[in-house]
Amino acid sequence: MTEFRTERDSMGEVRLPAQAYYGPQTQRAVENFPISGRTLPPELIRALGLVKWAAATVNRNLGLLTQPGSAAVSAASGGQDTRAPHSFPIGKSTPS
């Protein structure tokens, strides 16, 4: 059985899968804009992860991140996180 959590934002409450890394706005997009059923290619998701990791690393090295922000460097893990594809549920509108 799938577990859910409830989050609240300016538009109200929304149910999300308990393990989802995304928030209410992404869940609403999934529900309201089913485009193709195809997700982003894993290569693109990995590239986005690498950009986030690089930005977090630079900002940490410049002393611009707070302690919780420094955890973002580890969380980004250079795009190596195998859970990442499930964090991008929005479909793409053009064929591969």
Side-chain angles (χ1 to χ4, degrees):
M1 183 172 148
T2 303
E3 294 184 24
F4 293 92
R5 70 177 193 268
T6 301
E7 290 199 15
R8 182 171 181 76
D9 64 3
S10 62
M11 294 180 65
E13 291 185 351
V14 66
R15 283 177 34 136
L16 297 103
Q19 302 300 322
Y21 289 111
Y22 51 85
Q25 295 84 7
T26 298
Q27 185 62 35
R28 284 192 185 92
V30 167
E31 294 169 2
N32 294 320
F33 304 104
I35 296 175
S36 68
R38 293 187 308 268
T39 58
L40 297 173
E43 297 84 5
L44 177 59
I45 294 171
R46 182 169 188 277
L48 291 169
L50 287 169
V51 170
K52 285 180 172 272
W53 172 79
T57 300
V58 168
N59 284 309
R60 181 194 60 200
N61 293 347
L62 292 172
L64 300 174
L65 292 180
T66 62
Q67 185 59 31
S70 292
V73 177
S74 297
S77 66
Q80 299 298 321
D81 191 343
T82 57
R83 298 170 293 180
H86 305 292
S87 297
F88 293 84
I90 306 300
K92 59 181 186 171
S93 60
T94 58
S96 320

